[in-house]
Amino acid sequence: MKRTIFLLGMCGFLFSCSEDVNSQDVAGTGLAWEENLQSLGAVLAENGEATASFYFVNKTDSSAYIKSVETDCGCTVAQYSNDTLAPGKVGLVKINYDPQSRGGSFSKMILVRTNVDPQGDSLFLEGVNVPYPQNPENHYEVRKNGLGFVFKVNNLGTLFTDEPKTKYLDFFNFNDFPIQLNQIQEHLPEYIEAQMHPNMVQGNTRGVLAITFDTAKKNELGFMEEEFRLAFLSSERFELPIRLMATVHEHFDPVPVDQVDQVPKLDISEREVDLGKISSGNTLSKAISLQNTGSQPLNIRKVVSNCDCLRFEIPAYDLKAGAEIELKFTFDPKGRRGIDHKTLTFFSNDPLNPTQTVVIKSRID
């Protein structure tokens, strides 16, 4: 359906120009691609090559043909037609990706040169290459209901609030029977979506769980670790706990140079506080200054301590331009010894420095 809408839209564009417009004004700019970036998701090595199809329309007012397709890696091979395409006709470039290489995330560029645009159009193919382990028994050692996973806790890394992020979890079905995801997931939070590839994973084969975390729906900043349960079907229904951790930061568009002085700015008096040598039996308090040195109101979204032993008091979360407040923190070193580092992390609407961290150091006797 998406491809049909695209092609109909392109045809409509070609015939919607006014007859009074000079022909050179409506001359096309080359090829119009349905999409120039495709994701293959997780590519399991044992499944062989994965293929992506890039469709395009000849938007010029003359015939076009592909002169060459260049890839930046021997693992990607292009297939395309040398036929000449009349204006408005649709063409296709297929890219085959061979996963028999180093594992991990990949991003490959493909350059398509044509007679109408010698500089070429850039296409991008991305995904995660998952090599087959030498010993699945040892590699997938975290066992849950006959399924083997690599990690007990899966790290999504750094996320931003402007777009969801998908984590691919490969696993091995050590059972002698196939499994599939239950269509009804009663215990899945609204900000998490789960899919399995393939839809049915046979016994003694591998599969991939695609877990998508929607930060906008979660609406929370900072470090988080969560556990949810996924429902599967085999001869009977069963559930597995899945644990994730991530750090979410707020996304801000780049600030133009001429607007740098027209935004809120959080200035922290000390980014590193050294409490010096202290006794484990005594709590210690200190204050740091927070000031809005920008010209717009500042909102401190959140302040996070990385330890229950470090508590803080903040008199306000909203600061007018030029306003200044003091944040008081108290550190309780009870039960601790040696060199100690704790942190306070500040999340604000300062687009230049939306996340700032204060390190609190001490040497505890």
Side-chain angles (χ1 to χ4, degrees):
M1 176 62 73
K2 177 182 176 184
R3 184 169 295 122
T4 302
I5 293 173
F6 167 79
L7 298 180
L8 289 175
M10 292 309 306
C11 291
F13 173 84
L14 289 168
F15 291 101
S16 64
C17 298
S18 169
E19 294 180 357
D20 295 333
V21 179
N22 183 280
S23 62
Q24 290 194 5
D25 292 337
V26 299
T29 57
L31 307 182
W33 295 88
E34 180 182 19
E35 51 189 350
N36 62 2
L37 169 64
Q38 287 196 36
S39 175
L40 294 173
V43 182
L44 297 177
E46 63 268 33
N47 294 337
E49 291 185 346
T51 301
S53 297
F54 292 89
Y55 287 87
F56 63 90
V57 172
N58 177 10
K59 279 184 58 178
T60 71
D61 57 0
S62 61
S63 296
Y65 62 88
I66 296 175
K67 298 176 67 176
S68 66
V69 178
E70 303 168 11
T71 63
D72 63 358
C73 174
C75 58
T76 51
V77 178
Q79 294 179 323
Y80 61 94
S81 172
N82 292 317
D83 295 341
T84 300
L85 296 176
K89 294 299 181 181
V90 178
L92 167 66
V93 174
K94 281 189 175 182
I95 304 297
N96 296 323
Y97 172 75
D98 185 355
Q100 304 302 323
S101 59
R102 184 171 58 185
S105 299
F106 63 85
S107 179
K108 306 300 178 183
M109 187 180 77
I110 302 100
L111 186 63
V112 181
R113 299 187 188 275
T114 66
N115 64 313
V116 296
D117 186 6
Q119 297 299 318
D121 293 330
S122 296
L123 308 177
F124 297 91
L125 187 65
E126 63 181 22
V128 179
N129 184 12
V130 188
Y132 195 86
Q134 292 183 350
N135 189 329
E137 288 278 350
N138 294 336
H139 187 74
Y140 298 102
E141 60 181 2
V142 180
R143 300 297 177 87
K144 305 174 184 179
N145 282 64
L147 304 185
F149 294 84
V150 180
F151 302 110
K152 292 181 179 179
V153 181
N154 301 280
N155 189 2
L156 274 67
T158 300
L159 283 66
F160 291 90
T161 54
D162 60 325
E163 61 180 357
K165 183 174 183 178
T166 299
K167 178 76 170 182
Y168 297 98
L169 312 180
D170 55 300
F171 66 92
F172 199 99
N173 180 13
F174 289 103
N175 297 300
D176 294 326
F177 48 80
I179 63 164
Q180 58 183 339
L181 268 182
N182 193 352
Q183 292 185 353
I184 299 176
Q185 295 290 335
E186 298 177 348
H187 304 297
L188 202 60
E190 65 172 357
Y191 50 86
I192 292 179
E193 294 183 1
Q195 295 182 331
M196 190 171 74
H197 306 285
N199 293 329
M200 181 173 289
V201 178
Q202 301 295 327
N204 297 302
T205 64
R206 291 199 303 171
V208 174
L209 288 174
I211 308 296
T212 301
F213 193 106
D214 191 329
T215 53
K217 291 182 179 179
K218 175 63 175 175
N219 193 27
E220 189 173 330
L221 298 173
F223 176 81
M224 57 193 69
E225 185 172 344
E226 300 191 11
E227 180 175 295
F228 59 91
R229 302 186 71 83
L230 279 182
F232 293 82
L233 292 176
S234 57
S235 56
E236 59 184 28
R237 184 181 183 278
F238 65 94
E239 292 186 348
L240 291 184
I242 303 293
R243 296 181 65 189
L244 300 176
M245 65 179 181
T247 302
V248 181
H249 297 275
E250 186 170 356
H251 169 80
F252 291 92
D253 292 330
V255 178
V257 174
D258 60 353
Q259 297 181 20
V260 168
D261 295 327
Q262 303 175 25
V263 299
K265 297 179 182 178
L266 173 60
D267 182 75
I268 303 175
S269 60
E270 297 180 76
R271 298 295 297 273
E272 186 174 289
V273 180
D274 191 347
L275 300 178
K277 190 175 182 179
I278 62 177
S279 170
S280 61
N282 297 325
T283 59
L284 188 64
S285 297
K286 193 170 182 179
I288 56 176
S289 172
L290 309 177
Q291 183 178 12
N292 178 10
T293 59
S295 60
Q296 297 297 318
L298 174 76
N299 174 248
I300 299 175
R301 312 287 205 216
K302 189 178 183 181
V303 183
V304 179
S305 165
N306 70 337
C307 179
D308 290 339
C309 61
L310 180 64
R311 301 184 180 275
F312 62 89
E313 298 175 6
I314 182 170
Y317 284 85
D318 293 294
L319 283 74
K320 295 180 180 180
E324 183 176 2
I325 60 174
E326 280 195 345
L327 178 146
K328 179 181 178 182
F329 67 83
T330 301
F331 176 53
D332 183 357
K334 182 179 179 180
R336 302 178 184 279
R337 291 288 188 275
I339 297 175
D340 192 89
H341 287 180
K342 295 293 178 284
T343 61
L344 287 173
T345 303
F346 296 80
F347 299 88
S348 76
N349 66 332
D350 176 350
L352 301 177
N353 296 286
T355 305
Q356 300 186 50
T357 299
V358 173
V359 179
I360 300 168
K361 302 163 38 177
S362 62
R363 296 176 298 282
I364 306 171
D365 290 339

